Amino acid sequence: MRKIITCIGIRPDIIRLSQIIKILDKHFKNVIVDSGQHYDYNLNKIFYDQLNVREPDYNLDIKSGTHATQVANLMIEFEKTLNKEKPEFVIVLGDNNSSLGFALATSKLNIPLVHIESGMRSKNWLMPEEKNRIVIDHLADMNICYLPEHKENLLREGLNPRRSWIVGNPIIEVVNAVKTNFKQEEPFYLVTCHRAENTEQKQNLELILLFLGKLYEKHQKEIKFILMPKTKNYMEKFGLKFPEGINPIPPQGFLEFLGMEKEAELVITDSGTVVEECAILGTPCLTIRESTERVDLIQLGINCLTGINVEKMLEAGEFILSKEIEPVSHYGKNIAEKICNILLGNSLEFYNNKER
Ligand code: UDP
């Protein structure tokens, strides 16, 4: 059997790869490597358990640190794994620091690299994720895109069209595959907020909390705020408190959280995956950021991009609550199978050559 490595960086990678790994396992000798960037049970192992993903073969245990520390440590550790396992090719997904470290180590050894979630662009160069995804896309030998506009982004940057495939968005297969287990009679809103731009700057975090306080004053609906350790640390550092009506809760398992997304009257988030899940479930959703790489959802009117401005966030909230949200229909189907077929049907060596 052809030997490959599938890399897992952080929580959303386990979720998004869960169905893909099951199909790859049937056709390849698939070595799973987890970076260890997320190491708490409720940010890592719970997703393997709930989504029936087998244990990783390697955990590189890189934990947290500055961007440079994380990427550098990951490269050093992953290079050892690559030299030992000698895979035919390596699969990375997304735009986190681990994905970048995996991609750099692979490419430096001239091992063919496959990037899933290729071609998304926020056009915001100050986002760490934008830098990561552009570098990974340009290192990759095969670019697997979700949507046609993502491939167009790659072509605009001069990448070879013969290296890109459009397969649809695998998150829809994950959402369809699981049964959620959350129930609550009382209406509520749901918030996730942990992106660097919203947590590391006091002003933005303060404005978001102010907005949530005003939203509660107006609607008197409980606001559940998923409090990630990182956001908690910054709130303490900046001396910020939750306004009345905001109920901080710890990170949830996927089955619980997806159920909350389904039941919530409104979701407010700076996450990339949460907006997609809300679009699939037909839940009104605000993106509280200055820019987004999920441009399709904004253009379809399923999601509102608010910027970090209290008035605009409040206005957008009223607007999206007044709208009938049609669940998305452009994410495609048989995505995991398509990805596997592309990998089975192509010799990766063909793409990994002098000619770009
Ligand atoms: N999620 C979860 N529990 C939570 C919050 C989020 O299972 O308490 C899931 C959510 O359903 C989505 C993913 O984690 O699939 C989003 O992760 P995150 O926002 O960290 O990453 P991003 O999508 O922004 O890369």
Side-chain angles (χ1 to χ4, degrees):
M1 250 184 170
R2 296 162 70 189
K3 189 199 269 188
I4 66 171
I5 290 184
T6 301
C7 300
I8 291 179
I10 53 173
R11 166 174 77 178
D13 304 349
I14 312 169
I15 296 170
R16 212 180 273 274
L17 284 168
S18 56
Q19 300 300 312
I20 299 173
I21 285 174
K22 288 184 188 114
I23 295 197
L24 289 177
D25 277 358
K26 289 189 195 151
H27 299 278
F28 295 95
K29 170 150 183 29
N30 185 16
V31 178
I32 299 181
V33 179
D34 189 310
S35 71
Q37 186 179 330
H38 276 170
Y39 45 91
D40 289 342
Y41 176 78
N42 61 354
L43 287 180
N44 182 275
K45 179 125 188 345
I46 193 170
F47 300 102
Y48 285 93
D49 293 346
Q50 289 193 340
L51 292 161
N52 293 321
V53 179
R54 67 187 164 85
E55 295 261 312
D57 299 286
Y58 291 82
N59 190 315
L60 303 184
D61 209 20
I62 64 150
K63 305 229 156 91
S64 31
T66 64
H67 291 264
T69 319
Q70 280 187 328
V71 176
N73 285 343
L74 195 123
M75 283 182 74
I76 293 166
E77 289 310 311
F78 191 49
E79 187 181 52
K80 294 177 199 161
T81 317
L82 289 168
N83 283 329
K84 188 164 160 222
E85 293 291 342
K86 300 196 181 347
E88 188 186 315
F89 61 89
V90 171
I91 300 174
V92 301
L93 182 142
D95 52 23
N96 55 74
N97 285 344
S98 294
S99 319
L100 177 64
F102 284 130
L104 279 165
T106 304
S107 184
K108 288 280 181 186
L109 291 178
N110 280 340
I111 296 171
L113 175 68
V114 178
H115 186 210
I116 302 180
E117 200 172 293
S118 191
M120 279 196 189
R121 297 289 181 266
S122 67
K123 311 262 163 72
N124 180 349
W125 185 240
L126 297 182
M127 282 179 67
E129 294 87 352
E130 185 81 350
K131 292 187 175 160
N132 290 349
R133 58 174 85 93
I134 289 179
V135 176
I136 302 169
D137 279 341
H138 285 247
L139 291 174
D141 300 289
M142 289 179 103
N143 297 94
I144 309 284
C145 304
Y146 297 164
L147 302 173
E149 53 265 42
H150 300 155
K151 177 165 177 173
E152 282 161 29
N153 287 336
L154 297 179
L155 302 190
R156 215 172 294 124
E157 291 171 15
L159 294 195
N160 186 339
R162 283 164 65 213
R163 293 175 182 282
S164 309
W165 288 260
I166 302 163
V167 296
N169 191 333
I171 197 70
I172 192 157
E173 289 180 324
V174 181
V175 171
N176 290 340
V178 301
K179 262 204 150 34
T180 63
N181 63 5
F182 176 81
K183 275 272 158 295
Q184 174 171 314
E185 295 300 324
E186 307 292 296
F188 66 94
Y189 300 162
L190 179 65
V191 181
T192 81
C193 173
H194 57 86
R195 217 166 258 273
E197 66 215 64
N198 284 344
T199 52
E200 292 176 9
Q201 299 170 32
K202 182 178 179 194
Q203 201 200 0
N204 282 0
L205 194 49
E206 210 167 13
L207 289 173
I208 290 166
L209 292 172
L210 192 65
F211 152 65
L212 295 175
K214 284 184 186 280
L215 192 69
Y216 179 74
E217 268 172 35
K218 175 136 203 252
H219 291 275
Q220 300 285 312
K221 306 246 165 96
E222 181 203 356
I223 300 182
K224 292 185 196 292
F225 188 111
I226 306 277
L227 187 57
M228 289 283 269
K230 186 175 145 191
T231 312
K232 186 165 185 262
N233 291 342
Y234 278 107
M235 283 186 68
E236 278 164 15
K237 181 175 166 197
F238 299 143
L240 297 172
K241 298 248 171 320
F242 283 106
E244 195 205 333
I246 321 299
N247 183 14
I249 54 173
Q252 302 289 305
F254 185 64
L255 304 187
E256 294 75 23
F257 186 76
L258 195 70
M260 287 182 181
E261 286 177 318
K262 210 176 195 170
E263 298 292 313
E265 287 191 0
L266 173 66
V267 173
I268 298 162
T269 186
D270 58 9
S271 158
T273 313
V274 170
V275 292
E276 296 175 350
E277 289 161 355
C278 288
I280 293 165
L281 299 168
T283 302
C285 181
L286 298 182
T287 300
I288 45 166
R289 287 166 50 186
E290 299 291 351
S291 59
T292 177
E293 60 295 326
R294 268 69 177 183
V295 184
D296 52 314
L297 302 181
I298 308 299
Q299 285 171 347
L300 285 168
I302 291 178
N303 192 294
C304 270
L305 179 67
T306 64
I308 306 302
N309 171 306
V310 176
E311 287 313 309
K312 286 203 180 132
M313 289 190 270
L314 283 167
E315 242 172 62
E318 295 309 311
F319 174 73
I320 205 84
L321 279 169
S322 70
K323 257 187 103 159
E324 200 52 46
I325 306 292
E326 279 289 314
V328 279
S329 56
H330 67 298
Y331 278 175
K333 53 182 180 193
N334 304 328
I335 295 129
E337 212 173 286
K338 277 187 214 154
I339 294 173
C340 189
N341 284 342
I342 290 166
L343 297 173
L344 281 171
N346 285 284
S347 155
L348 275 280
E349 271 161 51
F350 172 77
Y351 294 95
N352 183 33
N353 51 29
K354 274 201 293 193
E355 201 113 328
R356 298 301 288 173

